[in-house]
Amino acid sequence: DVKVTQSSRYLVKRTGEKVFLECVQDMDHENMFWYRQDPGLGLRLIYFSYDVKMKEKGDIPEGYSVSREKKERFSLILESASTNQTSMYLCASSLPPPGQGGSPLHFGNGTRLTVT
Amino acid sequence: SQKIEQNSEALNIQEGKTATLTCNYTNYSPAYLQWYRQDPGRGPVFLLLIRENEKEKRKERLKVTFDTTLKQSLFHITASQPADSATYLCALAGNAGNMLTFGGGTRLMVKP
């Protein structure tokens, strides 16, 4: 079974702090994704990566950056946390890009981030 | 604009009945559609995929239909059980290279 592990289940940070959310997958998947999930808004794609050192913006990249130095690890960075970034953050991985083959996403259990 | 709509109100049904959840979309031409289950405090888990040229897909007690004319997918759980209580998300992608976009999900509550 694919395992996607997010380093923290809960995080509380202060406004203006730099925040790192880490995600590791153990199935050698090329593709990794970061979503945020908010009530009434569903899952929204922040960034994704097709390969090491490659990244693409999703629908809501503002205020975020990502890093993919190794295939198994994809980090989400909040450069200067703000209260509107309080959310559930979900990492996922997959085989070929969903649009090209329908491969399902395998999600981690999320990091609930609170910015005060 | 593009939209994926799932009933935001919870669906309450009695154990043993068939649950039917709806996913409607506009301004998409999806190559396929996926359904996921999400339990509280957990990430979504993939359940089923149905492609644009398929009318229906089954997996155990689950059945998904896909009507590209109506721009709608229906997700059925037959002989529902309290353990089926969760939020169910649909997600779809357009042509090759497009990312998955998720609906807001529908919460299902199965009462014993």
Side-chain angles (χ1 to χ4, degrees):
Chain A
D1 263 1
V2 177
K3 192 165 182 187
V4 178
T5 303
Q6 295 184 231
S7 54
S8 305
R9 290 301 304 273
Y10 300 96
L11 270 180
V12 180
K13 297 291 181 182
R14 293 195 180 275
T15 301
E17 278 194 79
K18 190 168 186 175
V19 181
F20 293 86
L21 302 183
E22 306 287 347
C23 175
V24 177
Q25 51 96 1
D26 67 357
M27 281 302 291
D28 204 35
H29 283 170
E30 289 87 354
N31 310 300
M32 297 189 75
F33 308 84
W34 276 106
Y35 287 86
R36 65 178 281 178
Q37 186 173 30
D38 301 286
L41 295 175
L43 277 88
R44 292 179 291 167
L45 182 63
I46 305 171
Y47 266 98
F48 59 97
S49 169
Y50 286 137
D51 203 350
V52 175
K53 297 198 185 293
M54 294 184 68
K55 60 185 179 184
E56 297 284 344
K57 293 180 180 179
D59 298 320
I60 52 163
E62 296 78 19
Y64 303 94
S65 63
V66 290
S67 172
R68 187 130 182 239
E69 296 295 319
K70 293 185 178 181
K71 190 174 186 179
E72 67 270 18
R73 186 178 297 269
F74 193 34
S75 302
L76 180 70
I77 304 154
L78 285 65
E79 297 291 342
S80 176
S82 64
T83 54
N84 63 11
Q85 293 178 309
T86 292
S87 186
M88 169 70 93
Y89 289 88
L90 289 160
C91 174
S93 72
S94 78
L95 285 170
Q100 293 178 14
S103 294
L105 297 183
H106 299 267
F107 284 89
N109 280 327
T111 296
R112 186 166 293 282
L113 172 67
T114 302
V115 182
T116 62
Chain B
S1 62
Q2 292 179 320
K3 261 191 215 175
I4 303 172
E5 292 180 312
Q6 296 184 257
N7 196 339
S8 58
E9 292 183 14
L11 177 63
N12 294 292
I13 65 166
Q14 204 66 36
E15 181 176 8
K17 300 292 186 185
T18 295
T20 299
L21 287 72
T22 304
C23 177
N24 294 303
Y25 59 91
T26 53
N27 294 320
Y28 279 98
S29 297
Y32 60 85
L33 189 146
Q34 298 181 358
W35 283 89
Y36 290 77
R37 169 186 172 137
Q38 186 174 22
D39 292 288
R42 300 283 184 179
V45 174
F46 171 77
L47 295 174
L48 279 169
L49 176 148
I50 187 164
R51 299 188 187 282
E52 60 179 333
N53 59 350
E54 298 174 316
K55 297 286 185 194
E56 183 180 296
K57 205 80 165 286
R58 290 175 186 261
K59 179 182 175 184
E60 297 171 353
R61 294 184 296 111
L62 308 181
K63 184 178 88 170
V64 172
T65 62
F66 193 10
D67 189 326
T68 55
T69 301
L70 290 178
K71 296 187 182 302
Q72 180 182 80
S73 175
L74 299 179
F75 177 82
H76 306 272
I77 305 175
T78 58
S80 59
Q81 303 165 1
D84 295 326
S85 298
T87 296
Y88 291 86
L89 305 165
C90 69
L92 55 86
N95 296 327
N98 287 353
M99 288 296 106
L100 275 178
T101 302
F102 284 82
T106 297
R107 188 173 176 209
L108 172 67
M109 302 279 291
V110 181
K111 299 188 176 178

